[in-house]
Amino acid sequence: MEYTYDDLLDRLTDLKALAVPPAVGETSGCFSSYDRRSRYNEATGLYEDWGANSDGDGYIRREGEDIVVLEIDGPGVIWRAWSANPQMGRIRVYIDGAAAPALDMPFRDLFERFDAEGNQFWPANLPRLMPTLSRGRNRFIPICFSTGCKITLGPGWGMFYHFTYTKFPAGTVAPAYSAALERAAQTRLAEIDRALALRGKLPMDGMEWRQVPCTAGESTVLYQSDTPGALTAFALEVPEGMPPAALENLLVEMYWDGAAQPSVACPLPNLFACTAAGAEDFRCLPVAKSGGLYACFWYMPFASAKIVLCNAGGTDTLLRVGCRTKSIPGGEAAGLLRFCARTHGDAFGGLDAARFAPGGDRWPDWPLLRCRGRGRLCGVHLAVDNRWPEPDKPADEWWYGVGENKTIDWWWGEGDEKFFVDGEAFPSTFGTGSEDYIGYAWAAEPPFSLFDSAFAVQNAVPLTGNGMTSVARFHIVDNIPFQNELEAYIEKYKANTWDDSRAVCEYRATCYWYMAAGGKEKGHP
């Protein structure tokens, strides 16, 4: 396989590519500043200091005054850079063993420019490829390499970093990289940024709509096809003013290829990365909401398909259902992965409960997805019910105080994401905090902001954080391929009840992934 730089840029918006089975040797992961006290002891088979939480300045090793933060063999590509506090210390990116860095600039400039310092003085005007999300700085401009890549950060670089990457199979030819992008690449980046700006526009072209009555206590077929094809958009419009309890009782199931068990099983709001308790309108690349209209644009191939809505409530309702499909040859459909999504709370079987409980070596890991087979993890939605009684004593600073001077320790989101791929003992993705995983930052200090972007959203949260929070991160270009199995966790420090049981912190997760025929979730009821 040989890639051009245009090929890599095209992946930024390519939902169809998610259905392509990962090649043998294709892997992804994340280098981050996680606390290096967390480690796996091969001699004992136990994890040590697994909840260590000094996540802002971890690194691989020192080289002079610089720290090495990424080191990887090629061929491959770095898809995403993120930081909570990039400063003027220099980032240097060394490609394919070269002594001189291919990119050398202040770390802060990495999130504002696509050209090397000195070649272009104006900032890159690419707000969707370089979004700032509630103080989190993100960059989605590929940095490719053939034989390897090393990244160093110099003194004064700031705090917290993530670099997500994909390694291609041996023999893949990656394009030569230059920080001084040519005009054609700059133009293509501008076109992609514009496409991301127009993401999820409603109504959708090419949709076929119909009204579907859904009787209380019964299941209704929303869509059915016995001909190979692919759904490229699926939307549901609910009656205006439908109460949260009624939305929760509308369960969407999708069956591919005559399977007896659904590959998708979610309450209607969660399928679209929302909460029934209320979510503001938003637009991401794979999902969007506008009023009572919920839409998803995942590429969903099938040999045959059936979408069912189970109305588990006590009220009849009338839905407007829209689908956009394309015919594809049966042979092509057979060779593609199937879209999967499932919503769950704490009910996960097949785990050694003692190891995951406080005091166990796997605490505070909380399962997101555990599956066996071949596929790709493509996104996570978290609905967090985080509520507490107002403290009796007012804080010296706004809301509940800042830093160590809080009147109540209420933040839910310190947890790191940890993705174990194909039997890894130590996860190839190890993050620095739940909000960092989503792409924002410093969320333990209010006010909380709403935001949306192509690849991440916070579409529900009170200004103080006291109530329901809804966040999602979509791994489109930096999806996590696996050949045999995936175990994805996120740390959860707070119990479901805390502060002497006066407060609540409950997670509900919806994962989005693609799976080959025969793949199974592990331990799910």
Side-chain angles (χ1 to χ4, degrees):
M1 180 71 180
E2 181 173 357
Y3 288 106
T4 67
Y5 198 68
D6 272 354
D7 293 332
L8 300 180
L9 295 180
D10 288 344
R11 292 275 293 274
L12 289 161
T13 57
D14 191 356
L15 294 173
K16 182 178 179 180
L18 299 174
V20 177
V24 175
E26 179 187 351
T27 60
S28 294
C30 177
F31 285 85
S32 82
S33 55
Y34 76 89
D35 193 325
R36 263 50 180 186
R37 290 177 296 170
S38 295
R39 68 187 192 93
Y40 174 68
N41 188 324
E42 293 185 0
T44 63
L46 299 176
Y47 294 86
E48 299 176 353
D49 288 324
W50 206 230
N53 197 35
S54 295
D55 297 319
D57 57 2
Y59 57 89
I60 298 172
R61 66 176 183 276
R62 286 196 173 273
E63 289 187 353
E65 293 186 334
D66 292 357
I67 58 173
V68 177
V69 298
L70 178 147
E71 194 167 39
I72 191 172
D73 296 332
V77 58
I78 298 165
W79 294 116
R80 170 184 178 255
W82 167 91
S83 179
N85 187 25
Q87 294 297 317
M88 296 306 290
R90 302 188 77 81
I91 180 173
R92 296 180 175 92
V93 179
Y94 298 86
I95 302 292
D96 300 339
L103 187 151
D104 184 350
M105 63 170 63
F107 191 35
R108 182 186 295 174
D109 284 0
L110 183 74
F111 302 96
E112 298 178 1
R113 305 175 188 277
F114 54 73
D115 213 344
E117 187 184 36
N119 293 323
Q120 180 172 295
F121 63 86
W122 56 83
N125 192 17
L126 302 171
R128 286 88 188 180
L129 289 167
M130 295 178 165
T132 297
L133 306 177
S134 188
R135 295 175 284 188
R137 307 297 297 273
N138 296 264
R139 170 188 167 108
F140 289 90
I141 297 179
I143 299 174
C144 47
F145 50 92
S146 293
T147 61
C149 181
K150 181 176 75 173
I151 297 179
T152 65
L153 294 173
W157 64 269
M159 294 178 66
F160 298 93
Y161 65 82
H162 287 195
F163 296 98
T164 58
Y165 66 88
T166 292
K167 286 183 65 172
F168 301 132
T172 301
V173 178
Y177 175 76
S178 170
L181 296 178
E182 297 178 355
R183 177 177 294 185
Q186 296 178 19
T187 301
R188 184 69 185 122
L189 284 169
E191 292 170 349
I192 292 169
D193 196 80
R194 177 62 58 89
L196 294 179
L198 299 175
R199 65 193 182 271
K201 286 291 188 181
L202 306 173
M204 292 76 70
D205 293 338
M207 297 287 285
E208 295 185 3
W209 295 91
R210 64 192 183 97
Q211 301 284 345
V212 179
C214 299
T215 304
E218 296 186 5
S219 296
T220 303
V221 176
L222 303 180
Y223 173 83
Q224 190 161 9
S225 175
D226 295 322
T227 303
L231 275 166
T232 60
F234 172 69
L236 292 173
E237 187 171 27
V238 302
E240 184 177 355
M242 178 175 280
L247 275 175
E248 278 286 317
N249 286 322
L250 299 178
L251 309 177
V252 180
E253 297 180 340
M254 298 185 181
Y255 299 80
W256 312 126
D257 310 336
Q261 298 298 321
S263 295
V264 173
C266 305
L268 185 153
N270 299 117
L271 175 61
F272 301 94
C274 297
T275 68
E280 299 298 326
D281 292 352
F282 73 97
R283 292 184 293 117
C284 291
L285 192 61
V287 288
K289 174 184 179 295
S290 178
L293 180 60
Y294 300 79
C296 68
F297 306 97
W298 298 105
Y299 188 81
M300 296 179 278
F302 53 81
S304 64
K306 182 170 70 172
I307 301 177
V308 174
L309 186 130
C310 308
N311 186 350
T315 306
D316 296 348
T317 190
L318 181 67
L319 298 182
R320 185 168 174 252
V321 180
C323 296
R324 184 175 64 208
T325 60
K326 61 176 294 186
S327 296
I328 59 176
E332 178 183 342
L336 296 175
L337 305 174
R338 298 301 185 253
F339 177 70
C340 304
R342 187 178 297 276
T343 301
H344 68 84
D346 289 329
F348 246 94
L351 294 173
D352 183 343
R355 294 186 69 184
F356 288 82
D361 72 305
R362 287 296 301 272
W363 183 88
D365 288 359
W366 190 88
L368 290 170
L369 175 66
R370 300 168 64 242
C371 59
R372 181 178 291 111
R374 187 184 187 195
R376 300 179 185 273
L377 175 64
C378 299
V380 175
H381 171 247
L382 272 179
V384 182
D385 188 4
N386 190 38
R387 294 175 282 114
W388 58 89
E390 294 294 325
D392 296 330
K393 179 183 176 182
D396 293 334
E397 300 180 72
W398 65 346
W399 276 292
Y400 308 110
V402 176
E404 300 301 321
N405 299 315
K406 296 189 182 75
T407 56
I408 186 170
D409 183 15
W410 46 269
W411 173 233
W412 63 269
E414 283 299 320
D416 307 339
E417 75 278 13
K418 300 171 183 174
F419 300 159
F420 298 77
V421 178
D422 293 336
E424 292 172 331
F426 195 88
S428 48
T429 292
F430 195 135
T432 60
S434 306
E435 79 274 39
D436 306 347
Y437 166 60
I438 301 301
Y440 59 125
W442 306 112
E445 319 292 1
F448 284 90
S449 66
L450 298 170
F451 60 82
D452 67 346
S453 68
F455 308 121
V457 64
Q458 182 165 259
N459 54 28
V461 64
L463 279 174
T464 63
N466 191 345
M468 181 64 72
T469 293
S470 172
V471 291
R473 160 90 153 90
F474 300 107
H475 298 265
I476 306 305
V477 68
D478 57 351
N479 62 83
I480 311 298
F482 51 95
Q483 297 292 335
N484 301 306
E485 64 176 348
L486 172 72
E487 296 209 354
Y489 300 86
I490 195 162
E491 292 176 338
K492 183 177 186 290
Y493 284 87
K494 278 186 163 42
N496 285 354
T497 56
W498 56 280
D499 192 27
D500 296 327
S501 299
R502 297 184 306 144
V504 172
C505 182
E506 296 183 350
Y507 284 12
R508 175 187 255 188
T510 303
C511 290
Y512 312 93
W513 75 103
Y514 284 79
M515 182 79 80
K520 301 289 184 184
E521 284 187 84
K522 296 194 294 185
H524 199 286

